[in-house]
């Protein structure tokens, strides 16, 4: 600053001004809109910033986080989307500050949940009870190659093996806003014996009275009961021959059972 008097006298002085850099607050929302509880990634693009303070939602606490990438999430238990404010306050070492606010849309809560009887023997018909929340589309995968889009389906599980089989049933629920949730439930299906046998001959003239029995039931953890129609029985798996003491018509029945179920088949000689 230079000053002059009317008499031509002058003087001057110099004052140094220090202009500190001003921080600029800025961030991107990588996942917008988001579903209830979904991870939201925020990228801090601020400049000239030394301290970064975040606030998630109108009533959220102030949280200092100086990482360039910040994760958060919001909960929405309402039936409609909600806008949540996200605020970023930045400060530098010179005491200068800046702030920015962006809105985050969060879709409503969706939860997959169901129940059913979880154990039976083949063929096992199961009714599923759907207790899901917030869904409009339901996809059931039964773990045996079949699926359904009914709200509460009924499905029959088959176990054609000789051992227990567990089916993983998965229900995926989708909301009108495209948000998804899944629930898994296990169904234990015990095998059912399928009794089969051949008998030879089926007709003969007494005193010929021996019949040959061949058990062709598929292998499994079974118990066997043969009833020959003449009062005799045996628990042998393969009784081979049976000899009748007199003539007549006899019904031979083979009952095959497991711990959980049984089935029978008969032949007449």
């Amino acid at each position: 600053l230079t000053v002059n008097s009317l008499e031509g006298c002058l003087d001057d002085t110099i004052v140094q001004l220090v202009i500190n850099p001003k921080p600029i607050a800025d961030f991107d929302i990588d996942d917008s809109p988001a579903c209830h509880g979904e991870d939201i990634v925020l990228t801090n693009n601020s400049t000239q910033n030394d301290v970064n303070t975040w606030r998630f939602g109108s009533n959220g606490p102030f949280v200092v986080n100086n990482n360039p990438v910040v994760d958060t999430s919001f909960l929405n238990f309402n039936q409609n989307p909600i806008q949540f404010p996200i605020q970023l306050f930045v400060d530098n070492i010179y005491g200068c500050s800046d702030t920015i606010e962006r809105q985050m849309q969060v879709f409503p809560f969706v939860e997959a949940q169901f129940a059913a009887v979880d154990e039976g023997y083949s063929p096992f018909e199961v009714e599923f009870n759907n207790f899901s929340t917030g869904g409009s589309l339901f996809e059931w995968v039964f773990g045996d190659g079949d699926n359904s889009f009914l709200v509460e389906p009924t499905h029959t599980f088959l176990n054609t093996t000789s051992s227990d089989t567990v089916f993983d049933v998965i229900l995926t629920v989708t909301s009108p806003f495209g948000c998804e949730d899944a629930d898994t439930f296990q169904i234990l299906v015990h095998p059912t014996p399928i009794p089969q046998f051949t008998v030879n001959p089926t007709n003969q003239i007494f005193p010929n009275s021996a019949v040959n029995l061949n058990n062709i039931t598929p292998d499994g953890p079974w118990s066997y009961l043969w009833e020959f129609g003449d009062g005799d029985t045996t628990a042998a798996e393969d009784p081979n021959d049976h000899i009748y003491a007199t003539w007549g018509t006899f019904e031979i029945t083979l009952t095959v059972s497991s711990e959980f179920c049984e089935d029978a088949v008969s032949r007449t000689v």
Side-chain angles (χ1 to χ4, degrees):
L1 172 61
T2 301
V3 294
N4 295 279
S5 68
L6 295 176
E7 290 79 14
C9 300
L10 59 87
D11 194 14
D12 59 47
T13 185
I14 298 175
V15 177
Q16 297 290 331
L17 296 178
V18 178
I19 301 177
N20 295 318
K22 174 179 172 57
I24 303 298
D26 186 35
F27 67 91
D28 291 329
I29 304 175
D30 294 347
D31 303 281
S32 179
C35 297
H36 167 99
E38 181 182 357
D39 286 340
I40 300 167
V41 178
L42 308 174
T43 302
N44 191 345
N45 300 318
S46 303
T47 57
Q48 301 294 332
N49 54 313
D50 296 300
V51 179
N52 304 274
T53 304
W54 296 87
R55 192 183 193 193
F56 307 114
S58 301
N59 300 316
F62 294 92
V63 179
V64 176
N65 191 329
N66 294 322
N67 294 323
V69 177
V70 176
D71 294 334
T72 189
S73 63
F74 293 96
L75 304 180
N76 179 4
F77 291 101
N78 294 281
Q79 296 182 350
N80 298 308
I82 295 179
Q83 297 284 344
F84 290 92
I86 301 177
Q87 296 174 300
L88 172 60
F89 306 87
V90 295
D91 299 275
N92 62 18
I93 58 176
Y94 305 105
C96 302
S97 62
D98 192 25
T99 184
I100 187 174
E101 178 179 308
R102 298 193 189 281
Q103 295 294 317
M104 179 71 206
Q105 187 178 49
V106 180
F107 293 135
F109 170 76
V110 58
E111 181 182 36
Q113 188 177 19
F114 68 99
V117 178
D118 62 358
E119 183 177 359
Y121 58 87
S122 180
F124 184 35
E125 184 178 82
V126 179
E127 296 181 0
F128 291 95
N129 298 309
N130 191 343
F131 302 112
S132 301
T133 302
S136 58
L137 177 65
F138 306 92
E139 181 181 8
W140 301 82
V141 177
F142 298 113
D144 59 1
D146 288 344
N147 64 350
S148 173
F149 292 93
L150 297 177
V151 177
E152 292 188 320
T154 297
H155 185 70
T156 299
F157 294 89
L158 300 177
N159 181 1
T160 58
T161 72
S162 60
S163 58
D164 292 343
T165 299
V166 175
F167 296 92
D168 290 322
V169 181
I170 302 173
L171 169 61
T172 301
V173 179
T174 305
S175 75
F177 306 97
C179 298
E180 291 185 352
D181 190 41
D183 190 20
T184 301
F185 190 86
Q186 290 191 326
I187 303 290
L188 173 62
V189 181
H190 302 290
T192 297
I194 304 174
Q196 300 178 53
F197 72 94
T198 61
V199 57
N200 186 52
T202 57
N203 293 279
Q204 56 187 318
I205 298 175
F206 192 82
N208 296 324
S209 62
V211 294
N212 178 261
L213 302 167
N214 183 21
N215 188 350
I216 56 174
T217 302
D219 292 337
W222 319 130
S223 298
Y224 301 89
L225 174 63
W226 295 85
E227 298 171 278
F228 299 109
D230 59 357
D232 286 349
T233 63
T234 180
E237 181 176 349
D238 286 295
N240 297 318
D241 292 343
H242 180 73
I243 299 174
Y244 288 91
T246 186
W247 61 86
T249 299
F250 302 93
E251 185 175 71
I252 302 174
T253 301
L254 170 60
T255 301
V256 184
S257 58
S258 70
E259 180 183 356
F260 304 97
C261 58
E262 68 177 28
D263 199 3
V265 64
S266 297
R267 303 280 187 267
T268 300
V269 297

